[in-house]
Amino acid sequence: MKTLTRQSKNIPLRRLLRLATKHSFKITLLSRILTLTVNPVIDKSTTISSLIPNQKLNCTEPIYYSGGGGINVSRAIKNLGGESTALYLSGGRTGNHLQELLSKDSIDQCIIDIKDITRENLSVHDLNTDLQYRFGLPGPFVQKHEWQNSLDKIESLLNENDFLVASGKLTAGIPDNYYKLVGDIVKRKKAKFVVDTKGRALPHAITSEMYLFKPNLNELASLYNEQTLSTKSLKEATKKFMSTHACEIMVVSLGKRGALLVTSNLFQYIAAPIVDEKNTIGAGDSMLAGMLIKAQAGKNAKVMTEYGIACGAAATLKRGTKLCQLKDVELIFKWLRRNVKI
């Protein structure tokens, strides 16, 4: 018997039911993953023989990657063999380049046009010292009607039980409570809201009803006006957060130390493997992508977190912003499943 999935075929549900009845298809309804990026970027990566001040330095041919929180998550999902739709605000020549890069990677995309130009970042690897330098440029100014258009697009795209991932920082012109407005739409549509942001957007985003919240240690500390959190204060902070916010799963990223998984009835540290780390760009986005892949497959929070940690660790094995690669992820995940107590 043939199988049609709503996700892969993008067929309206009523039409899918008619087709299934007429041709005896088996229907598998998969929750889709939509990633939202309001401040995407073109990441340029190059190398130099040595970083010397006040001299013209010859760089190698640059490599270009599409980037920005949600876009990185979509790219990592693709690397893992999954599918998602990257919804993002984009404009100018760099916006056109961004669209080309995503098309080249065969990532489904939905573009909200803006007048201003999509930003660029530059990372330079010094071959002499083996150090990496990362230069981030400011994002575009987004006009009111442009970010309101993005809310309308989310409303039209989102279906019940879909995952909507709000990932990355805001940019100029977008109000602080933008992700709260997104969260309200997600709730109305009975979808699942995933939050991974920082800065001025964070305090507003967490007032939404969240399926998954993935802060790092510093982001969580900032919510309690602290620079960082000790092991004892981390436990207190996460328990307080879960008791005062509508959040099903919280995973606090601890970098090389792994992550802390917290739910209403679970509090567990999950260690990360020691790997030959060459780069940290996109490790958090890869981690989130891995968790979403397992959530979409119906796995529990512990498996989600372990797979996410494997993806984050795998992303550090390669230079540049290639993100996690499936072969590396599967090896690390098998190691974690053998070495972490069930």
Side-chain angles (χ1 to χ4, degrees), residues 255-259 268-274 306 309-310 335-336 340:
K256 294 180 180 180
R257 291 187 290 152
Q268 184 173 359
Y269 285 97
I270 301 177
I274 298 173
E306 289 172 353
I309 289 173
W335 182 90
L336 281 171
V340 177

Side-chain angles (χ1 to χ4, degrees), residues 109-226:
Q109 51 189 308
C110 179
I111 305 166
I112 308 298
D113 292 321
I114 62 173
K115 184 178 179 180
D116 212 346
I117 298 173
T118 299
R119 67 190 174 112
E120 292 181 302
N121 283 347
L122 174 66
S123 64
V124 181
H125 178 220
D126 185 338
L127 298 175
N128 182 47
T129 61
D130 200 30
L131 296 174
Q132 185 185 63
Y133 299 88
R134 297 163 63 179
F135 304 90
L137 298 177
F141 181 88
V142 177
Q143 299 180 44
K144 184 177 181 179
H145 73 274
E146 293 171 337
W147 61 258
Q148 286 179 330
N149 285 344
S150 70
L151 297 178
D152 293 338
K153 181 59 68 174
I154 292 168
E155 184 94 44
S156 67
L157 287 176
L158 206 57
N159 295 319
E160 186 175 346
N161 291 323
D162 285 346
F163 297 89
L164 191 286
V165 185
S167 181
K169 295 185 294 184
L170 302 180
T171 187
I174 298 181
D176 294 356
N177 70 337
Y178 174 80
Y179 285 144
K180 175 62 170 66
L181 299 176
V182 172
D184 291 342
I185 295 171
V186 176
K187 183 177 180 179
R188 284 200 305 272
K189 302 290 282 190
K190 297 181 180 180
K192 297 176 182 178
F193 194 35
V194 179
V195 174
D196 183 18
T197 188
K198 62 180 68 175
R200 61 187 176 93
L202 183 56
H204 300 273
I206 59 173
T207 63
S208 300
E209 191 173 293
M210 296 174 287
Y211 167 73
L212 172 63
F213 176 42
K214 192 197 76 67
N216 61 33
L217 190 60
N218 291 336
E219 289 160 358
L220 182 62
S222 72
L223 295 176
Y224 297 98
N225 297 316
E226 300 287 348

